[in-house]
Amino acid sequence: MSTTLPRPTKLDPLDMLDLDADFTSDERLIRDTVRDFTRRRILPNIADWFERGVFPKELALELGELGLLGMHLDGYGCAGTSGTAYGIACRELEAADSGLRSFVSVQGSLAMFPIHAYGSEEQKREWLPRMARGEAIGCFGLTEYDHGSDPSGMRTVARRDGGDYVLDGSKAWITNGGVADVAVVWARTNPDDGPKSGAVRGFVVPAGTKGFSTKNIERKISLRASVTSELLFENCRVPASAILPGVASMRGPLSCLSEARYGILWGALGAARACYEAALEYAKTRVQFDKPIASFQLTQQKLVDMMLELQKGQLLATAIGRLKDAGTIAPQHVSMGKLNNVREALAICREARTILGASGITLEYPVIRHMNNLESVLTYEGTSEVHTLILGQALTGIGAFS
Ligand SMILES: Cc1cc2nc3c(=O)[nH]c(=O)nc-3n(C[C@H](O)[C@H](O)[C@H](O)COP(=O)(O)OP(=O)(O)OC[C@H]3O[C@@H](n4cnc5c(N)ncnc54)[C@H](O)[C@@H]3O)c2cc1C
């Protein structure tokens, strides 16, 4: 019997278990391409964009050129990658900034996905190829000021009038709203308007439609490099062909949210990795009491705990990605990933901030930017509390929402 001695392994502090080695060569290529793009194009500028509160609209074309918009959808100019590849791209985009990943998530998962899944052939042909190229920007209007975690109580209505629908109401906190060329808007139809009426329906509303306007939400201190807006509908008349024919219930918007949350559970790992990496480098070079602060046991414990949570989060993301690719994913799996990975990513960013001391509160380092961004990520696409209740219901069979 021969014994094989273990080969010495070179440990990478950013991926101790070499988890990325499990990705396919295509997935690794996507990782490297997105990482290279963010290093060249985003990282040198992002602190400035964040400080000024802008998202340069021309990035849409560059993201389209890279094939990242609607990348996990098939046909109509979309790349048709695996769900895992989409997750990896989200991770690398969010390692640069959550605002950048939000742009790609909203475009692909919240605006293109409903048109792809529930749209008419004309709607698909009209919008998807342009949106995949980044020539048309989309947004997704579900939340209202009075209806956030419980969007089914929405007040925005769509009234049938001859061959048209007339939209009235408003949406709040809508990513990309003020820069969008097209909005996918969810509204309750009038119960007296015939078959399927009274249900929540999706409408594809181009910017510039009479009665549709937007107003940006200013003075945010989170996700500053991302446009967040109100959508206002006042006697806004759209043809019946603007309705998404394939769904007539809250299943429509909720299925879109499940797609976008899936990207978030990967993306949060990118933000956390960037903070861990910054803290690790800083700790090795910052000297106090005549020693690098990395030599102190308390600092090492912080770094080790960050690394452990990052690797566990990656294992979770990869497992959920493989379920998605196998077609066996359930919304509860996505809740597991979103709840755990965003919560732990935020904890990692906060701990990294302490290692950087006073330097950690400036935009010279990425840490406080990521930390502030993740406060939004914790809330949107289902708050931590909502995902906890979804999982609580899955475990006990008892809904505790109301
Ligand atoms: C930067 C940003 C971008 C966004 N982009 C979009 C977008 O593109 N499109 C869109 O439609 N929406 C968007 N949103 C809205 C987002 O989805 C909502 O903010 C989110 O659903 C929470 O709603 P709310 O803010 O009204 O909080 P609320 O629902 O009022 O919740 C407040 C608190 O109460 C808790 N809570 C509520 N219900 C329960 C319950 N049953 N049990 C226990 N706790 C509960 C919540 O967890 C939370 O802690 C965005 C939000 C932000 C901040």
Side-chain angles (χ1 to χ4, degrees):
M1 195 177 100
S2 71
T3 26
T4 323
L5 290 173
R7 278 181 291 129
T9 308
K10 193 170 175 318
L11 295 173
D12 176 0
L14 293 177
D15 186 7
M16 293 284 281
L17 292 167
D18 201 12
L19 297 176
D20 278 15
D22 289 339
F23 297 157
T24 65
S25 56
D26 281 354
E27 289 164 353
R28 282 199 296 272
L29 180 65
I30 286 171
R31 175 196 65 187
D32 295 342
T33 306
V34 179
R35 209 178 268 185
D36 177 61
F37 169 74
T38 57
R39 282 194 182 140
R40 265 188 305 106
R41 183 69 176 103
I42 308 296
L43 293 180
N45 301 304
I46 186 63
D48 181 47
W49 295 338
F50 185 94
E51 193 168 15
R52 291 195 287 122
V54 296
F55 178 83
K57 209 178 160 182
E58 60 273 19
L59 285 177
L61 290 172
E62 298 172 49
L63 293 163
E65 181 102 350
L66 287 171
L68 298 177
L69 303 178
M71 63 188 281
H72 60 311
L73 305 177
D74 284 318
Y76 304 96
C78 303
T81 66
S82 68
T84 300
Y86 172 50
I88 292 167
C90 288
R91 188 186 75 179
E92 297 307 320
L93 291 165
E94 195 149 356
D97 193 76
S98 303
L100 180 70
R101 198 271 308 138
S102 295
F103 179 89
V104 171
S105 291
V106 168
Q107 179 83 349
S109 291
L110 293 182
M112 294 173 71
F113 172 79
I115 296 174
H116 193 273
Y118 308 121
S120 65
E121 194 53 37
E122 294 71 39
Q123 288 167 337
K124 292 180 198 185
R125 288 213 185 117
E126 179 177 1
W127 290 107
L128 294 178
R130 286 163 61 202
M131 293 173 85
R133 290 194 296 271
E135 290 165 11
I137 295 174
C139 70
F140 171 90
L142 176 66
T143 304
E144 301 178 358
Y145 276 123
D146 290 339
H147 302 279
S149 298
D150 182 13
S152 63
M154 68 176 66
R155 300 289 295 277
T156 300
V157 290
R159 202 169 20 88
R160 188 89 205 218
D161 186 24
D164 300 334
Y165 279 93
V166 179
L167 295 171
D168 274 293
S170 65
K171 298 288 173 181
W173 304 110
I174 307 306
T175 304
N176 296 350
V179 289
D181 300 287
V182 61
V184 173
V185 182
W186 301 92
R188 190 169 294 286
T189 49
N190 184 340
D192 304 328
D193 280 349
K196 288 193 188 169
S197 58
V200 167
R201 303 296 303 259
F203 293 84
V204 180
V205 185
T209 303
K210 192 158 173 266
F212 170 34
S213 60
T214 66
K215 185 165 171 269
N216 288 348
I217 296 174
E218 308 288 353
R219 307 183 79 187
K220 288 181 298 166
I221 53 170
S222 172
L223 277 191
R224 288 185 55 73
S226 170
V227 175
T228 315
S229 318
E230 293 174 20
L231 309 182
L232 308 163
F233 301 93
E234 216 176 329
N235 216 8
C236 173
R237 184 174 289 273
V238 293
S241 60
I243 209 163
L244 291 174
V247 71
S249 68
M250 280 301 290
R251 187 174 65 80
L254 294 182
S255 64
C256 304
L257 291 174
S258 206
E259 285 293 301
R261 287 165 184 165
Y262 169 78
I264 291 172
L265 74 90
W266 281 85
L269 294 173
R273 186 189 74 206
C275 292
Y276 162 67
E277 194 172 4
L280 184 59
E281 286 313 306
Y282 190 86
K284 287 194 285 190
T285 52
R286 172 73 177 167
V287 174
Q288 287 294 289
F289 302 97
D290 301 323
K291 288 179 182 165
I293 60 170
S295 66
F296 301 128
Q297 291 176 1
L298 291 177
T299 309
Q300 290 192 4
Q301 182 174 27
K302 289 178 186 178
L303 292 167
V304 169
D305 285 345
M306 288 181 207
M307 179 278 290
L308 285 174
E309 288 309 325
L310 267 169
Q311 293 270 279
K312 288 193 271 179
Q314 184 58 61
L315 284 166
L316 188 56
T318 305
I320 295 171
R322 297 304 177 209
L323 289 174
K324 185 167 176 56
D325 290 333
T328 52
I329 195 166
Q332 290 80 358
H333 294 132
V334 180
S335 288
M336 285 172 71
K338 206 256 176 186
L339 173 62
N340 183 79
N341 286 5
V342 178
R343 182 169 67 189
E344 297 308 322
L346 192 50
I348 288 170
C349 295
R350 286 176 179 154
E351 200 75 296
R353 222 286 304 146
T354 68
I355 292 180
L356 271 77
S359 301
I361 71 157
T362 76
L363 287 173
E364 295 305 309
Y365 294 90
V367 178
I368 199 152
R369 176 170 53 78
H370 280 302
M371 198 175 106
N372 278 10
N373 283 342
L374 286 177
E375 291 291 346
S376 288
V377 179
L378 192 70
T379 286
Y380 70 21
E381 311 281 348
T383 64
S384 289
E385 292 80 3
V386 165
H387 288 295
T388 303
L389 296 183
I390 290 171
L391 292 169
Q393 184 172 16
L395 302 188
T396 65
I398 305 167
F401 290 92
S402 53

